[in-house]
Amino acid sequence: MANAKQLPSGAWRVQYYDAEGKRKSITRDTKKEAEYAALEAQLKGKREAANITVGRAIDDYIASKDGVLSPTTIAGYQKIRRNNIQALMSVPLGKLNAKIVQQAFNAEAKRVNCRGNLPSPKTMANTRGLFSAAMAMHGLEFEPTIPAKRKQMRDLPDPAAVYEAVRGSAVELPCMLAMWLSFTMSEIRGLRVCDIKDGMVTINQVIVDVDGLPVAKAAAKEYERNRTLAVPPYIMSLIEQTEAWQKGEGYIVPTSGQTIRRRFERLCNKAGIDITFHDLRHINASVMLKLHVPDKYAMARGGWKTDATMKRVYQETFSAERDRVDQLIDNYFNEITASD
């Protein structure tokens, strides 16, 4: 328990932290009265905190971050609050223990969603992060075990095949911005006529969906995402055909992200290509790897903060290129073994 200190006025004051980590103070006429009142307040606070449910604690945590974190992050937290670890939401903090928490996370890891999929390792990590942070505000420490990240081995389609699938379509421009310039969906949607000058395009804002509505943000999630690239003549020719460019103002790609993804998916299915729109950035990173573009320039073009993310997540392989490399290595060792 904190000790009381005498003030110049002669009264005694005790400073302490309540169950939510907030600094409080109590002043009384005598030292014993101040210390006793502070102890009583702390105990009362702990009793009240023990009756707060996990759901309420998470709600309070999200509210405390409103205006500090991005709208998309807040929306993501709210989605987790609505859908994940629901077995814990009505449990009072005073009844939580490591076993109860771990059982809830085990069940969450096995829960199949409406699309027939299990939660991804990233979703589980985000759920644990939110839960642990909310608990920490009440002096509780929980770090439940979650499934480890799985390395996904896959082959990307040849960029030429993707181009043929989208060429001349309503989504050719956003697809080429993603595959050629490594723009994200939010960056593409936020691109305006005023962002293109003297053959250069600058990412000055992004548009994201929050509660189903488009929201413009002046800055991207990472500082490195706000970048400037030269506009290739082919892409510039597509931009010049847009209504915004011809008017001299407005958004280059005013279509919603959902519509772009849905149209892209239909075109890919027709062409027998199995990728998502975001995979176009993976193709871009893999093209730069194939062309031996130095990491420094590849990171600048793609807006990656570290080369670790670029290499671990985005740089993958094309089927034909992998076959060529495999054959090259096989030929080398075939020559060695043939000499025996």
Side-chain angles (χ1 to χ4, degrees):
M1 185 185 72
N3 294 322
K5 293 183 178 181
Q6 192 169 29
L7 302 174
S9 63
W12 291 81
R13 183 180 67 183
V14 173
Q15 293 184 323
Y16 66 96
Y17 291 92
D18 64 14
E20 296 183 5
K22 297 179 181 178
R23 193 172 183 178
K24 304 281 187 176
S25 67
I26 286 182
T27 303
R28 295 291 187 270
D29 292 335
T30 67
K31 180 179 180 181
K32 286 187 177 181
E33 287 177 338
E35 292 177 344
Y36 179 81
L39 177 59
E40 188 177 49
Q42 284 181 305
L43 292 175
K44 180 182 178 182
K46 288 181 178 180
R47 288 193 297 269
E48 292 176 349
N51 293 324
I52 294 176
T53 63
V54 170
R56 166 68 186 282
I58 292 178
D59 288 338
D60 291 345
Y61 176 79
I62 295 174
S64 73
K65 300 300 179 180
D66 190 20
V68 178
L69 299 178
S70 71
T72 49
T73 299
I74 293 295
Y77 283 168
Q78 291 171 337
K79 183 178 179 180
I80 290 174
R81 167 66 175 89
R82 290 193 304 269
N83 302 318
N84 300 3
I85 53 173
Q86 293 303 297
L88 288 178
M89 293 304 170
S90 60
V91 179
L93 301 188
K95 294 186 177 180
L96 280 183
N97 57 49
K99 182 179 180 180
I100 292 174
V101 170
Q102 188 61 60
Q103 287 176 338
F105 273 83
N106 291 348
E108 184 65 24
K110 300 174 184 176
R111 183 174 63 86
V112 178
N113 63 22
C114 59
R115 296 182 179 178
N117 300 321
L118 294 172
S120 68
K122 181 179 180 181
T123 298
M124 291 299 300
N126 290 344
T127 301
R128 181 176 66 179
L130 174 60
F131 171 77
S132 297
M135 296 304 99
M137 285 187 64
H138 294 275
L140 300 175
E141 294 186 11
F142 290 106
E143 196 69 18
T145 302
I146 58 176
K149 291 183 178 180
R150 300 182 297 270
K151 182 175 178 60
Q152 295 182 339
M153 297 299 295
R154 61 177 178 171
D155 291 323
L156 293 172
D158 189 280
V162 178
Y163 168 63
E164 287 299 326
V166 304
R167 183 173 62 171
S169 71
V171 294
E172 180 183 3
L173 176 55
C175 289
M176 297 307 289
L177 286 169
M179 185 167 67
W180 196 328
L181 297 183
S182 194
F183 285 3
T184 66
M185 179 66 82
S186 61
E187 291 167 349
I188 292 168
R189 295 174 63 193
L191 185 61
R192 301 160 298 179
V193 171
C194 61
D195 298 321
I196 302 173
K197 185 177 181 181
D198 298 329
M200 306 296 289
V201 56
T202 300
I203 300 298
N204 290 313
Q205 71 166 23
V206 297
I207 290 183
V208 296
D209 288 329
V210 178
D211 295 330
L213 299 175
V215 175
K217 295 169 54 180
K221 187 175 182 180
E222 298 289 349
Y223 173 79
E224 289 75 14
R225 290 284 183 87
N226 297 325
R227 59 202 187 279
T228 299
L229 296 175
V231 185
Y234 183 84
I235 289 183
M236 194 64 225
S237 69
L238 296 177
I239 292 175
E240 289 171 348
Q241 298 174 36
T242 64
E243 181 180 348
W245 187 264
Q246 294 173 6
K247 290 196 314 182
E249 63 178 2
Y251 289 99
I252 298 296
V253 182
T255 314
S256 71
Q258 184 179 9
T259 298
I260 293 173
R261 292 188 183 94
R262 187 168 58 247
R263 291 174 177 174
F264 176 68
E265 183 179 343
R266 282 201 298 264
L267 292 171
C268 286
N269 289 339
K270 184 178 180 181
I273 298 173
D274 183 20
I275 58 171
T276 65
F277 186 88
H278 187 73
D279 284 337
L280 295 174
R281 262 173 59 86
H282 290 245
I283 290 178
N284 177 272
S286 300
V287 167
M288 290 192 288
L289 175 65
K290 179 181 178 179
L291 299 178
H292 307 293
V293 175
D295 289 349
K296 176 181 179 181
Y297 300 106
M299 290 164 57
R301 285 182 62 86
W304 293 292
K305 187 175 183 179
T306 66
D307 64 346
T309 299
M310 179 180 68
K311 293 177 179 179
R312 176 175 55 83
V313 178
Y314 285 91
Q315 288 182 340
E316 301 179 45
T317 58
F318 305 116
S319 298
E321 185 68 11
R322 175 177 285 184
D323 290 343
R324 188 189 71 80
V325 171
D326 290 345
Q327 190 61 54
L328 188 66
I329 296 171
D330 289 346
N331 290 342
Y332 176 83
F333 283 99
N334 284 336
E335 290 180 8
I336 293 176
T337 56
S339 63
D340 292 341

